[in-house]
Amino acid sequence: MHIVDGVLSTPVLAIGAATAVAGTVYGLRQLDDSKIPQAAVLAACFFVASLIHIPVGPSSVHLIFNGLLGLLLGWSAFPVVAVGLVLQGVFLGFGGIMVLGVNLVNIALPAVLVHLFLSSKVHKYSGSAVGFMAGFGSVVLTSVLVALSLTLSGEVFWNSAALVLTSHLPVALLEGFVCAYSFSLIKKVRPEIVCNMNKTVEPGSEG
């Protein structure tokens, strides 16, 4: 899912950076003290999942776990993903610094959308059903955003955009099953985490 530096057009980079900053600031305001340990564990999962990746044109294919991130953290997925992407870019050379904003939006925004759509359904459906929809849907949405980022940067990347979409379908299915198992387990052994999923931090309530 990481797009490398030197590929995207300046307008795409600018829009991605502005959106990433806004999402991260809002996500940090929603990250209360009780969720910090949980966010740290999920950040580590995201970081490790991305280590095994296959280059596909100017992007790459790998597990993300942004569906699980989104379900449990909502908007706080933005700063969590940001930490993982910065560490990967600086120490491992995945993605890049200039494209950091776009990569962050492409991964974190689907996580937020998954949360907004599915968080109200966690008590209506089984954990495995909600988890599969989150895992599968988040990867599909991320691949669409990556393809859109490439498409808007010039015709030369249209074939790469199509390749990104098709190559991520097996990943979406795999991540759907992994997320289904993980969220089902969390719902059984740590139901309080699921109960706190919709908790938001009111402005001025921190501290």
Side-chain angles (χ1 to χ4, degrees):
M1 297 297 186
H2 298 68
I3 301 175
V4 298
D5 271 337
V7 172
L8 301 181
S9 64
T10 300
V12 172
L13 291 174
I15 293 172
T19 306
V21 169
T24 301
V25 169
Y26 186 74
L28 284 171
R29 296 187 65 176
Q30 297 301 311
L31 187 61
D32 60 18
D33 292 344
S34 64
K35 284 189 174 181
I36 290 178
Q38 179 181 322
V41 171
L42 290 170
C45 290
F46 167 76
F47 181 86
V48 172
S50 303
L51 293 181
I52 304 175
H53 65 288
I54 302 173
V56 175
S59 182
S60 59
V61 174
H62 54 78
L63 293 175
I64 319 174
F65 294 154
N66 57 339
L68 190 61
L69 276 169
L71 275 179
L72 299 177
L73 296 178
W75 280 97
S76 296
F78 263 92
V80 168
V81 173
V83 169
L85 289 178
V86 169
L87 292 176
Q88 290 171 352
V90 171
F91 294 108
L92 302 176
F94 293 175
I97 301 302
M98 295 299 295
V99 77
L100 178 62
V102 175
N103 282 334
L104 175 54
V105 172
N106 289 346
I107 295 174
L109 183 57
V112 173
L113 294 176
V114 160
H115 179 85
L116 294 176
F117 181 72
L118 292 176
S119 61
S120 62
K121 298 175 173 58
V122 294
H123 301 298
K124 297 178 182 178
Y125 303 103
S126 67
S128 57
V130 174
F132 181 84
M133 288 188 286
F136 181 85
S138 61
V139 173
V140 170
L141 288 173
T142 294
S143 63
V144 169
L145 289 178
V146 171
L148 181 62
S149 301
L150 294 171
T151 300
L152 293 176
S153 297
E155 291 186 28
V156 67
F157 298 116
W158 287 5
N159 288 336
S160 295
L163 182 60
V164 166
L165 287 172
T166 55
S167 62
H168 279 90
L169 287 177
V171 179
L173 285 171
L174 176 59
E175 186 137 340
F177 288 116
V178 173
C179 190
Y181 174 79
S182 301
F183 189 67
S184 178
L185 183 62
I186 290 171
K187 193 175 180 181
K188 290 178 181 178
V189 302
R190 295 294 301 276
E192 69 276 9
I193 292 179
V194 177
C195 292
N196 292 330
M197 279 172 44
N198 291 315
K199 180 181 178 183
T200 58
V201 178
E202 296 297 331
S205 65
E206 298 90 343

